[in-house]
Amino acid sequence: MLNKVSNFFNRLMGFSETQSIVLEITGHCNRRCLYCYRPSESHETISAVSLDNLDKIITKLTRKFPRISFAISGGEPLLHPQFDLVFQKIRYVDKKVVVLSNLSLITLERAKKLRKAGLESIQMTFLSPDPEEHDFLRGKGDFLSTLNGVVNLRSAEIQVNAILLLTSKNVSNLLPSLTMLNSLGIKDFMINRYNASFPGVENLFIPPRAFERMMYELDEYGKEFKMSFSFGVPIPLCALPPKQNFTSLELKSFCPIGKGEREYFTVGPDGSIRACNHFPTILGNLLTQSMDEILEGENFRTLCNELDTPPAFCVGCGSWRDCRGGCRAASFTWGKGVSSPDPWLEVLGVKPHSRKPR
């Protein structure tokens, strides 16, 4: 069977009539992941959303969108001092709401309480079956904390979904990671390649040979076990290994900002709204504006125009409309600006003249 991945991001990919929203209810986090794309200072300075402001945010969203798919995120959302009440308010709109968590706070008692409250699934990020490798990327002791969280959630009959995040530090353990996810009873997951944290951290971009091996291994694993893998972070099509028909990989992933299909918005704890969870650009604020005002505003229109303009690197590429230059939020984060393509292309050594339509 294909792995259907019934988490938030696959709900996002499957239901065009439903608007997807990532709701960051707090900026506080108890981890300092090397791959995090949020400024570290945000963990200390952004407060948790108040219940009154949450009501205003939900009201503004439901006025605009008849159907909404919510993902509760952070920071670490379970650090919100009134998480249970926040969850119930959001679940009133979306009974299938997903929580994105690092699982560090999931005791068996907490898991049972969440299940009783109606939570059906939690999405986590998985890194490696090697404790040292995992803890290097997430912090000392996090490997055991993650495993305990999975066990407690499964004991409480809450589905655990996973994003397998691959970086230069853990991509060599791809196949053991897939094996461990299966051994934990996690059948629903997607693949994310590292796209960008902030300059100054250790280089986590996957290098060329490791990326090529990663793609072949994923495809062969999928063929053997009759699985299909999707990618949450777009892979620039010009970066794909040549002369290979990846039958187990869903490669038509692209930046959906301004395109409607698979588009989602991210709302911060202060009501600010962004075009996705990776872009730091603020489009507006739901506490003072309507969603229509934000979507018709200059910030959103400017961002969409920038993303619809091919970077010089991409001009003439036959795959441009299916790719949009990869993750341009990563380029923005790395100080190259939205007008530049995904900075990973430079790491991979992709040359403009080597691009061909696929």
Side-chain angles (χ1 to χ4, degrees), residues 146-268:
T146 298
L147 293 189
N148 286 335
V150 171
V151 171
N152 290 334
L153 288 166
R154 286 180 56 79
S155 296
E157 298 183 347
I158 294 177
Q159 180 175 335
V160 181
N161 305 314
I163 288 179
L164 175 55
L165 176 64
L166 298 172
T167 74
S168 61
K169 302 301 179 183
N170 65 342
V171 68
S172 62
N173 265 326
L174 168 59
L175 294 181
S177 292
L178 293 173
T179 300
M180 187 166 191
L181 283 169
N182 275 308
S183 71
L184 291 171
I186 300 174
K187 307 300 182 183
D188 294 342
F189 52 89
M190 68 164 50
I191 309 296
N192 269 3
R193 53 92 180 175
Y194 168 78
N195 62 335
S197 47
F198 285 80
V201 303
E202 189 153 352
N203 187 358
L204 299 177
F205 284 111
I206 301 173
R209 289 185 180 179
F211 170 60
E212 186 170 349
R213 184 174 63 250
M214 168 190 128
M215 297 297 282
Y216 289 134
E217 288 181 346
L218 277 174
D219 193 46
E220 289 303 312
Y221 190 96
K223 290 175 183 175
E224 181 177 355
F225 294 99
K226 295 181 173 56
M227 301 175 71
S228 177
F229 296 103
S230 58
F231 297 89
V233 178
I235 292 181
L237 297 181
C238 60
L240 291 175
K243 300 179 181 179
Q244 174 70 18
N245 181 22
F246 294 109
T247 58
S248 300
L249 309 182
E250 299 175 14
L251 294 170
K252 193 176 180 181
S253 62
F254 59 92
C255 172
I257 295 174
K259 294 300 182 182
E261 181 186 0
R262 302 182 183 180
E263 185 175 24
Y264 67 95
F265 296 96
T266 299
V267 183

Side-chain angles (χ1 to χ4, degrees), residues 51 90 131 134 146 161 189 283 290:
L51 296 180
I90 298 172
H134 178 103
T146 298
N161 305 314
F189 52 89
L283 305 178
S290 69

Side-chain angles (χ1 to χ4, degrees), residues 97-110:
V97 57
V98 176
V99 174
L100 313 184
S101 172
N102 60 35
L103 308 191
S104 62
L105 302 175
I106 302 292
T107 62
L108 180 57
E109 180 182 5
R110 187 82 184 263

Side-chain angles (χ1 to χ4, degrees), residues 40-98:
S40 59
E41 61 268 18
S42 70
H43 298 308
E44 283 76 39
T45 59
I46 300 179
S47 63
V49 65
S50 70
L51 296 180
D52 286 344
N53 283 345
L54 179 63
D55 286 338
K56 294 176 183 177
I57 290 169
I58 291 176
T59 297
K60 294 285 184 72
L61 290 172
T62 53
R63 283 177 181 170
K64 175 62 178 177
F65 306 115
R67 296 179 59 183
I68 301 177
S69 170
F70 275 112
I72 302 177
S73 182
E76 170 50 48
L78 292 175
L79 286 172
H80 193 291
Q82 295 176 293
F83 177 84
D84 294 341
L85 292 175
V86 168
F87 175 74
Q88 287 302 332
K89 285 179 177 290
I90 298 172
R91 188 174 180 271
Y92 183 78
V93 178
D94 176 19
K95 292 190 180 301
K96 299 289 186 180
V97 57
V98 176

Side-chain angles (χ1 to χ4, degrees), residues 208 211 236-241 313 341-356:
F211 170 60
L237 297 181
C238 60
L240 291 175
F313 182 94
D342 195 311
W344 187 38
L345 291 174
E346 184 177 343
V347 176
L348 292 175
V350 179
K351 305 297 183 184
H353 62 77
S354 68
R355 294 170 286 113
K356 296 180 180 179

Side-chain angles (χ1 to χ4, degrees), residues 240-311:
L240 291 175
K243 300 179 181 179
Q244 174 70 18
N245 181 22
F246 294 109
T247 58
S248 300
L249 309 182
E250 299 175 14
L251 294 170
K252 193 176 180 181
S253 62
F254 59 92
C255 172
I257 295 174
K259 294 300 182 182
E261 181 186 0
R262 302 182 183 180
E263 185 175 24
Y264 67 95
F265 296 96
T266 299
V267 183
D270 59 353
S272 61
I273 190 163
R274 311 193 306 279
C276 78
N277 52 328
H278 290 272
F279 252 116
T281 304
I282 303 299
L283 305 178
N285 194 295
L286 285 172
L287 298 182
T288 57
Q289 298 171 277
S290 69
M291 195 65 200
D292 280 328
E293 288 175 322
I294 294 171
L295 294 179
E296 295 167 6
E298 182 179 352
N299 290 350
F300 187 56
R301 287 188 288 107
T302 298
L303 179 60
C304 290
N305 288 336
E306 289 176 329
L307 293 175
D308 281 336
T309 303

